[in-house]
Protein backbone atom coordinates (compact mmCIF):
# COMPACT_ATOMS: atom_id res chain seq x y z
CA UNK A 1 0.00 0.00 0.00
CA UNK A 2 2.84 2.37 0.72
CA UNK A 3 4.19 1.98 -2.83
CA UNK A 4 0.81 2.98 -4.25
CA UNK A 5 0.74 6.14 -2.18
CA UNK A 6 4.36 7.08 -2.84
CA UNK A 7 4.39 6.49 -6.59
CA UNK A 8 0.83 6.73 -7.84
CA UNK A 9 -0.87 8.97 -5.29
CA UNK A 10 1.17 11.98 -6.37
CA UNK A 11 0.13 11.52 -9.99
CA UNK A 12 -3.56 11.07 -9.18
CA UNK A 13 -3.58 14.14 -6.94
CA UNK A 14 -2.47 16.28 -9.93
CA UNK A 15 -5.90 15.69 -11.51
CA UNK A 16 -8.94 17.32 -9.95
CA UNK A 17 -11.50 14.54 -10.39
CA UNK A 18 -14.04 16.20 -8.09
CA UNK A 19 -16.83 17.93 -9.98
CA UNK A 20 -19.68 18.88 -7.66
CA UNK A 21 -21.81 20.21 -10.52
CA UNK A 22 -21.74 16.82 -12.30
CA UNK A 23 -21.57 14.95 -8.97
CA UNK A 24 -18.37 13.10 -9.87
CA UNK A 25 -15.67 12.15 -7.38
CA UNK A 26 -12.63 9.96 -6.94
CA UNK A 27 -12.55 7.10 -4.47
CA UNK A 28 -9.59 5.26 -2.97
CA UNK A 29 -9.91 1.69 -1.71
CA UNK A 30 -13.67 1.96 -2.07
CA UNK A 31 -16.07 -0.96 -1.95
CA UNK A 32 -17.68 -2.22 -5.16
CA UNK A 33 -20.16 -5.05 -5.43
CA UNK A 34 -22.27 -6.51 -8.17
CA UNK A 35 -24.33 -9.69 -8.22
CA UNK A 36 -26.50 -11.39 -10.80
CA UNK A 37 -27.39 -14.99 -11.68
CA UNK A 38 -23.87 -15.76 -12.96
CA UNK A 39 -21.52 -13.30 -11.25
CA UNK A 40 -20.86 -12.23 -7.69
CA UNK A 41 -18.12 -9.58 -7.39
CA UNK A 42 -17.55 -8.11 -3.97
CA UNK A 43 -14.31 -6.31 -3.23
CA UNK A 44 -12.36 -3.13 -2.82
CA UNK A 45 -11.00 -1.15 -5.76
CA UNK A 46 -7.68 0.62 -5.40
CA UNK A 47 -8.98 3.74 -7.13
CA UNK A 48 -11.90 4.72 -9.28
CA UNK A 49 -13.78 7.70 -10.61
CA UNK A 50 -17.53 7.49 -10.17
CA UNK A 51 -20.73 9.45 -10.00
CA UNK A 52 -21.16 10.44 -6.38
CA UNK A 53 -19.50 12.87 -4.02
CA UNK A 54 -19.50 11.13 -0.65
CA UNK A 55 -20.33 7.60 -1.80
CA UNK A 56 -19.60 6.11 -5.24
CA UNK A 57 -22.63 5.26 -7.34
CA UNK A 58 -21.89 4.74 -11.05
CA UNK A 59 -18.22 3.86 -11.68
CA UNK A 60 -16.55 5.35 -14.78
CA UNK A 61 -12.83 4.52 -14.70
CA UNK A 62 -10.60 2.25 -12.61
CA UNK A 63 -6.95 2.03 -11.72
CA UNK A 64 -6.10 -1.29 -10.15
CA UNK A 65 -3.25 -2.77 -8.24
CA UNK A 66 0.13 -1.24 -8.43
CA UNK A 67 2.64 -4.08 -8.46
CA UNK A 68 6.38 -3.40 -8.22
CA UNK A 69 7.07 -6.28 -10.67
CA UNK A 70 5.26 -8.91 -12.73
CA UNK A 71 6.09 -11.66 -10.22
CA UNK A 72 3.30 -12.87 -7.94
CA UNK A 73 -0.36 -12.12 -8.55
CA UNK A 74 -1.27 -10.20 -11.70
CA UNK A 75 -3.64 -7.22 -11.35
CA UNK A 76 -5.40 -7.65 -14.71
CA UNK A 77 -8.02 -10.25 -13.62
CA UNK A 78 -9.17 -8.06 -10.73
CA UNK A 79 -9.40 -5.05 -13.05
CA UNK A 80 -11.47 -7.07 -15.54
CA UNK A 81 -13.86 -8.11 -12.73
CA UNK A 82 -14.27 -4.45 -11.76
CA UNK A 83 -14.83 -3.39 -15.37
CA UNK A 84 -17.43 -6.11 -15.94
CA UNK A 85 -19.22 -5.09 -12.75
CA UNK A 86 -19.25 -1.44 -13.83
CA UNK A 87 -20.60 -2.33 -17.27
CA UNK A 88 -23.46 -4.21 -15.64
CA UNK A 89 -24.14 -1.52 -13.03
CA UNK A 90 -24.20 1.22 -15.68
CA UNK A 91 -25.80 -0.83 -18.50
CA UNK A 92 -22.92 0.14 -20.80
CA UNK A 93 -21.16 -1.70 -23.61
CA UNK A 94 -17.67 -0.26 -22.98
CA UNK A 95 -15.52 1.04 -20.13
CA UNK A 96 -11.88 1.97 -19.59
CA UNK A 97 -9.40 1.14 -16.87
CA UNK A 98 -5.72 0.75 -16.09
CA UNK A 99 -3.43 -1.56 -14.15
CA UNK A 100 0.13 -0.76 -13.21
CA UNK A 101 3.16 -3.00 -12.96
CA UNK A 102 6.42 -1.27 -12.08
CA UNK A 103 6.71 1.83 -14.25
CA UNK A 104 4.35 0.49 -16.94
CA UNK A 105 0.78 1.77 -17.04
CA UNK A 106 -1.42 -0.65 -19.00
CA UNK A 107 -4.61 1.01 -20.23
CA UNK A 108 -7.52 -1.29 -21.02
CA UNK A 109 -10.76 -0.81 -22.94
CA UNK A 110 -13.38 -3.47 -22.31
CA UNK A 111 -15.99 -3.80 -25.08
CA UNK A 112 -19.02 -6.04 -24.97
CA UNK A 113 -20.64 -7.04 -28.24
Amino acid sequence: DRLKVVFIGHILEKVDFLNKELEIGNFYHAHLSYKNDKVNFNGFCDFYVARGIDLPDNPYFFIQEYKPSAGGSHPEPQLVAELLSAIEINSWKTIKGCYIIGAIWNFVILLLF
Side-chain angles (χ1 to χ4, degrees):
D1 285 336
R2 183 167 187 233
L3 291 174
K4 287 184 251 186
V5 172
V6 170
F7 293 107
I8 298 172
H10 295 297
I11 295 169
L12 295 176
E13 291 302 318
K14 300 275 184 201
V15 179
D16 185 11
F17 291 101
L18 181 63
N19 185 322
K20 290 184 179 181
E21 185 176 309
L22 296 175
E23 295 182 9
I24 296 173
N26 56 319
F27 301 90
Y28 294 86
H29 196 69
H31 185 257
L32 177 69
S33 64
Y34 174 75
K35 184 177 182 178
N36 67 17
D37 298 351
K38 300 173 187 172
V39 177
N40 183 6
F41 176 78
N42 189 17
F44 288 88
C45 303
D46 286 344
F47 172 85
Y48 64 100
V49 177
R51 177 162 287 242
I53 300 296
D54 297 319
L55 295 171
D57 187 18
N58 296 86
Y60 297 129
F61 179 82
F62 296 88
I63 296 180
Q64 181 54 44
E65 289 288 331
Y66 170 79
K67 299 288 186 191
S69 68
S73 64
H74 200 284
E76 189 175 24
Q78 187 173 353
L79 175 64
V80 170
E82 294 166 356
L83 295 176
L84 286 170
S85 298
I87 280 178
E88 290 293 322
I89 291 168
N90 295 325
S91 298
W92 292 349
K93 296 287 185 195
T94 183
I95 192 165
K96 299 172 181 97
C98 175
Y99 65 91
I100 304 160
I101 298 176
I104 308 299
W105 290 58
N106 300 276
F107 291 87
V108 175
I109 300 173
L110 181 64
L111 301 168
L112 294 183
F113 296 98

